[in-house]
Amino acid sequence: MQIITEQNLRNLIDLLVKEAKLVVGPKLSGSVVLYEPLTAGTELTLDALPRRSSKELFFPVCEDILSYKREGGGMKVTDVDRSKFPETVLIGAPPCDAGSPSILDAVMSWDYKDEFYLERRKKSTIVGIACTKGDDACFCQAVGLAPDAENGSDLFLTPLKDGSYACNAVTEKGQALVAAHKNLFAEGAGAEPVPFVDQAVQKLDLVKIKKWLEEHFEDPLWERIADICVGCGACAFICPACHCFDINDEGSTDDGVRRKHWDACGFAKFTNHASGHNPRDVQNKRYRNRIMHKFKYYDDKFGKTLCTGCGRCIRACPVGIDIAEILETINGKAE
Amino acid sequence: MNAKASKNQLTSIEPAYYEAVTEAIRKEAVKILKEETVVGVVGYLPGRRKGTATPALVTSVEEAEKLIFSPACVNNLSVYLTKAKKGVLKQGKVGIVAKGCDMRALAGLMTESQLQREDLFIIGVVCPGVYGFGVERTGTLTEANIARKCRECTVHMPEGADVAAGTHAELADLTPEEAEEMARIEAMPQAERWAFWKEHFSRCIRCMACRQVCPFCYCEQCLCDKNRPQAVESSPRPAGNMAWHLVRAMHLAGRCGGCAECERVCPMDIPLNLLNRRMAKELKELYDYEAGLAPVEKGPLNQYKEDDDQSFIK
C-alpha cells in the first residue's frame, strides 16, 4: 500500500501549482468553504463539506460560450478557445462529490456532446478522499455510494489514524499522478484507517423506488410537498448532480457574449414556453420532476441514479424539504 | 403594565417554554378546525432530523395535534399566504402561526391589500427567539445559538393576533450583532464598503431563495426574470448579481418587516438583512416610518403628496 503524509499532500499541491496546473480543493472563502483554486498546499481545508459541490469545476456557475460583435455589414462570432482550458487537479473531494462527474459524463456525452464539459473532464484528475465525518443530512449509503466509495476518483485517499493517508490509484490518471511525484509517496503498511460514521438513513431500494415512481406520476405526495416548496433553485444549484442550464445573450445588439449558466427545475419559468404555455405550471409538477429526473428518468436513459446523497439540498432547503425522508417514504410505500 | 419591569432576565430558554407554546398552538388549531372557523392552519411540524421543523398546512384535527413550536421554527409562514404561493388562501379562511416578525409581514401584506384581516385567524406566538444558522440544536435557546435577528427583536409580543400562545420570556443582555455590523460597515470609506458588497455578491449563485422566501416578493412578473428585453443580467456574474441585490433592496425599502428570511436562506451566507436594515433606517429618518408594525392605509413610498420634499431632483 502507498502512503502519503499530510505534509506531503500539501507539498504535492505546491508542486502541482508550480507545474502550472490548476489545483482546486476545499478552501475557506469568507464564512463558507468552497471548491476554489488553491495557490498553496496550506490553503486546503478538509474540515467541512464545501457549500457548493465540485461539479462547478466542469460545469461552472456561469461560462462564456461565444462572443459576438457587429463588424461591417455582418456579425462576427468568436468561439471560446477550449484548448486553453488548463490541466486541472481536483483534490480533497469526498465520494459524494468525486462521484458526480462520472454520473454526469453520460448526459454530457449523449446525443449532443457538451465540449465545454468534456474538455474540462479530459484535462482533469480527481483525488477523492474517504469521508470520516458527517451529519444527519448525509445519506450517500442509502443511494448506493459510501463514505469510502472510490467511484469517480482517479486517486483515492483514506485518512489513517496517524494523520497520513493510504492511497489507491484507481485509474491510469491516478497512477500517472503518483508516478510523476513518486518521492512524496512511501510504500508501507500504514496505520489503521479512521472509522467511517454511521448514517441515519438506511440503504434504500432504488429499484423499488423507481417502480413506485413509474406507477405514481399522479400522487397526493407531490401536492403535500408542493404545499411548502417555495420554488427556489437552492437545492439544484448546490447539488453535485443537477445539471440543467440556461443560455442567455448578454450585451447589446452590437456587441456581447453568449453565456451558459445554471438553471433549476424548481423555478416557475423553467419550462415556460414562448407561447406562454407552461406544462409544469404548478409547484408540485416541478418538484415531482426533480425526484423523477433523479430516480427514474436518468436511470431509464443512462442506468444511473442522479443523486450522490451529499445532503446539501436537505441542509439548504429554506423550508426543510428532506429528500432522504421523501425517499424513505416512497421506499416504504413501494411493493 | 410596564413590559420592561416585568421582563424575565433569562440566560436560557428551556424546552419547557416551547412545550407550553406547542400545547397552546395545538389546542387553538384543533379548536378552530373542529369549529370549522378555518379550512386549514399554516404551522410547523417536526422534521426528520434532530432539532428541525418544517412548515406545513394542516387541515385535519389529527394533523393539528402534531403541530409544534421550538427554536427550530425559523420560517416566516406568511409567505404561504401570498400571491406567489397561490392556492392556500383560495381555499377559505386560514389559521396561521405567527411570531412577532411574521406578524409584521402580515401587517405589511394587509397594508398592500394582499391580505384581508377577516380571512385570517392568527395564532400569535410570544417568541423568545429562534436558532441561528449552523448552530447546535439542543432544544435550549441561549446566547450561543440564537439567530442574529432575534438579538435585537422588538416584537416578542405579537400585537393584533386573535390569540397569543406563550407568556413573555426573552434572553437578557444579548449583543446586538447586526447593529454592530451595520455600524462597522457604515464607518467604512465608500470604496471599502463597495468592495465589501462586491465580494459578497460575487458568491451569489442566483438561486433566488432570497426572493422566494420573502413575503414581499410576491410580484407575478419579476423584473429579474424578464428576458425580452433583459432588464437585469440573469447570469450569476458580478454585474447582474449587484443589480439584482440593489433592485431588491430598493423594492423592499419601506416594506421589509425585518424577518431576515432572505439572509437565513442564502446558501452563500450573504448578509442580506444588512441591506434591508439600512433601507429601513433611511425610511425612519426620512419619513419617520417603520414598516409593518400595524396595517396602515399606505406606506410612504406608495403615495404622493404635493408638499413632498422635491430637493432630491437635481
Side-chain angles (χ1 to χ4, degrees), chain A residues 5-83:
Chain A
T5 62
E6 189 191 322
Q7 187 51 51
N8 274 349
L9 180 64
R10 295 187 189 275
N11 293 344
L12 174 67
I13 295 170
D14 290 338
L15 277 172
L16 292 167
V17 170
K18 265 191 203 142
E19 292 167 20
K21 294 208 167 64
L22 174 65
V23 186
V24 175
K27 177 181 162 181
L28 188 64
S29 169
S31 60
V32 291
V33 174
L34 295 171
Y35 287 102
E36 287 199 340
L38 304 173
T39 58
T42 50
E43 290 177 350
L44 179 76
T45 167
L46 298 172
D47 292 341
L49 182 70
R51 201 63 73 75
R52 301 200 304 242
S53 85
S54 58
K55 76 176 174 194
E56 66 190 63
L57 192 55
F58 313 101
F59 172 44
V61 184
C62 178
E63 66 179 321
D64 293 355
I65 54 176
L66 60 81
S67 56
Y68 60 88
K69 198 177 175 60
R70 198 181 291 281
E71 266 184 18
M75 193 65 88
K76 187 177 173 246
V77 171
T78 312
D79 280 325
V80 168
D81 185 357
R82 295 186 293 272
S83 70

Side-chain angles (χ1 to χ4, degrees), chain A residues 2 10 17 23 37 39 57 61 66 93 95-96 102 110 164 172 177 241 248 253 272 276 294 307 313 323:
Chain A
Q2 286 200 299
R10 295 187 189 275
V17 170
V23 186
T39 58
L57 192 55
V61 184
L66 60 81
C96 56
S102 64
W110 176 47
S164 63
E172 281 178 15
L177 182 69
N248 260 293
T253 47
N272 205 22
K294 289 189 174 298
C307 170
C313 57
I323 198 171

Side-chain angles (χ1 to χ4, degrees), chain A residues 10 25 45 58 141 151 156 164 167 187-188 208 231 254 263 267 304-305 314 330 333:
Chain A
R10 295 187 189 275
T45 167
F58 313 101
Q141 280 171 323
N151 310 33
F156 193 74
S164 63
C167 313
E187 283 291 338
K208 237 169 80 171
D254 292 327
D263 201 350
F267 291 150
K304 289 169 195 281
T305 295
I314 301 173
I330 296 176
K333 286 176 179 217

Side-chain angles (χ1 to χ4, degrees), chain B residues 28-249:
Chain B
E28 205 55 45
V30 167
K31 183 167 167 261
I32 55 178
L33 280 167
K34 266 192 185 156
E35 290 171 356
E36 296 183 358
T37 314
V38 295
V39 291
V41 177
V42 186
Y44 305 93
L45 289 176
R48 169 185 65 93
R49 295 184 299 147
K50 182 178 166 270
T52 62
T54 181
L57 172 67
V58 302
T59 50
S60 69
V61 167
E62 193 194 1
E63 286 173 303
E65 278 165 352
K66 292 181 188 145
L67 289 172
I68 59 158
F69 190 74
S70 76
C73 296
V74 291
N75 304 71
N76 180 348
L77 301 177
S78 69
V79 72
Y80 292 110
L81 305 185
T82 62
K83 236 194 265 176
K85 289 291 298 175
K86 291 185 191 100
V88 174
L89 256 190
K90 252 192 305 195
Q91 300 165 13
K93 183 166 176 163
V94 288
I96 183 165
V97 175
K99 308 183 290 289
C101 48
D102 310 346
M103 288 292 295
R104 291 187 68 179
L106 291 173
L109 289 167
M110 286 176 215
T111 294
E112 297 181 11
S113 306
Q114 298 301 310
L115 291 178
Q116 303 289 331
R117 182 64 184 86
E118 57 269 29
D119 291 339
L120 305 177
F121 187 95
I122 304 173
I123 305 173
V125 171
V126 183
C127 171
V130 294
Y131 288 140
F133 184 72
V135 297
E136 219 190 318
R137 295 170 169 233
T138 54
T140 301
L141 194 74
T142 64
E143 161 117 46
N145 61 15
I146 194 169
R148 246 164 58 135
K149 66 168 178 180
C150 304
R151 292 170 171 271
E152 296 160 65
C153 176
T154 55
V155 285
H156 288 284
M157 296 290 282
E159 279 172 39
D162 291 287
V163 290
T167 50
H168 197 183
E170 64 182 272
L171 296 178
D173 304 322
L174 295 169
T175 320
E177 284 178 1
E178 271 193 335
E180 286 177 0
E181 180 67 352
M182 196 156 88
R184 187 180 77 83
I185 292 160
E186 285 184 347
M188 285 177 180
Q190 200 179 353
E192 210 179 299
R193 222 182 310 155
W194 186 244
F196 171 87
W197 286 111
K198 248 169 91 171
E199 165 64 27
H200 274 296
F201 295 149
S202 73
R203 281 210 305 264
C204 171
I205 49 176
R206 301 292 277 282
C207 70
M208 308 318 258
C210 50
R211 178 182 73 182
Q212 296 305 104
V213 292
C214 178
F216 293 99
C217 273
Y218 56 72
C219 292
E220 283 170 284
Q221 175 71 60
C222 174
L223 181 75
C224 295
D225 283 337
K226 200 166 162 46
N227 62 0
R228 218 179 47 174
Q230 192 177 55
V232 170
E233 284 191 1
S234 53
S235 61
R237 294 178 65 258
N241 292 352
M242 182 68 79
W244 157 239
H245 289 290
L246 294 186
V247 161
R248 215 180 93 83

